[in-house]
């Protein structure tokens, strides 16, 4: 779950924790372009391939549309796959069932994290990679590795 990461963020920076809470839980990223850019993109507007102001407004519209669906976080926490983790190695207990019969190895998985991520810290990325039994790949990018001026960094890792 997010409990461990939340505590790490609180210990590191109350201001950043507040920005994440205000941006996501209080839905401020829908109207606050500066906060939206800082949390997800945080890039120079003059950079090639940057998320333009027009694109950002469109993305904010998607965020607003997504708020129609709600999640019961307390109920979700009870069902998270991370509750089913091998205590010895941090891996998912279901990985044994996902092995390729010909090679005996786990099915391919890729966990990519962003070095300049405002929302998910490196420890969280490494925890997820350990869960799937792979090494984390960290790319030079803000949170949204698919959009903005640094999208090629993640794309090159996928190739």
């Amino acid at each position: 779950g997010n409990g461990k990461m939340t505590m790490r963020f609180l210990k590191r920076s109350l201001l950043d924790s507040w920005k994440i809470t205000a941006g996501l839980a209080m839905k401020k990223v829908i109207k606050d372009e500066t906060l939206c850019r800082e949390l997800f993109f945080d890039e120079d507007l003059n950079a090639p391939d940057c998320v333009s102001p027009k694109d950002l407004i469109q993305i904010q519209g998607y965020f607003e549309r997504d708020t129609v669906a709600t999640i019961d976080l307390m109920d979700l926490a009870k069902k998270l796959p991370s509750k089913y983790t091998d205590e010895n190695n941090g891996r998912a207990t279901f990985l044994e069932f996902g092995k390729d019969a010909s090679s005996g190895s786990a099915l391919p998985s890729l966990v990519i994290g962003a070095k300049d991520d405002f929302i998910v810290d490196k420890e969280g990325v490494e925890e997820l990679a350990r869960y799937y039994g792979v090494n984390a790949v960290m790319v030079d990018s803000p949170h949204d590795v698919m959009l903005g001026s640094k999208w090629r960094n993640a794309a090159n890792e996928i190739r």
Side-chain angles (χ1 to χ4, degrees):
N2 294 332
K4 291 178 186 177
M5 189 166 21
T6 300
M7 293 310 296
R8 289 192 299 266
F9 273 96
L10 285 170
K11 288 178 183 176
R12 284 184 196 143
S13 172
L14 288 175
L15 178 58
D16 289 353
S17 297
W18 171 249
K19 288 179 180 181
I20 293 169
T21 301
L24 301 178
M26 299 168 65
K27 304 175 185 176
K28 299 284 185 188
V29 295
I30 294 170
K31 300 290 183 203
D32 187 332
E33 293 175 20
T34 302
L35 182 61
C36 186
R37 189 170 294 284
E38 183 176 12
L39 293 181
F40 293 99
F41 309 107
D42 197 26
E43 61 189 4
D44 178 5
L45 286 172
N46 296 317
D49 293 335
C50 77
V51 175
S52 71
K54 181 181 175 185
D55 291 339
L56 188 66
I57 291 168
Q58 184 177 14
I59 290 165
Q60 288 175 298
Y62 297 147
F63 289 160
E64 185 170 24
R65 186 188 65 203
D66 291 346
T67 63
V68 174
T70 58
I71 298 172
D72 182 341
L73 294 176
M74 296 299 282
D75 183 55
L76 177 64
K78 296 174 193 170
K79 299 173 183 171
L80 284 174
S82 58
K83 294 286 184 186
Y84 305 101
T85 303
D86 185 319
E87 292 179 19
N88 297 316
N89 60 20
R91 291 184 67 181
T93 54
F94 62 79
L95 283 178
E96 288 300 314
F97 298 107
K99 291 206 174 193
D100 182 310
S102 62
S103 68
S105 64
L107 296 174
S109 299
L110 175 64
V111 174
I112 294 181
K115 291 179 181 176
D116 296 323
D117 200 322
F118 204 101
I119 298 173
V120 178
D121 63 5
K122 183 179 181 182
E123 294 91 334
V125 174
E126 289 172 345
E127 182 181 73
L128 182 62
R130 189 170 45 255
Y131 183 72
Y132 283 105
V134 297
N135 293 321
V137 175
M138 299 300 293
V139 297
D140 177 24
S141 176
H143 178 78
D144 195 325
V145 300
M146 301 174 295
L147 299 175
S149 61
K150 297 183 177 182
W151 68 267
R152 285 178 184 84
N153 297 337
N156 287 334
E157 289 296 334
I158 294 170
R159 270 194 311 162

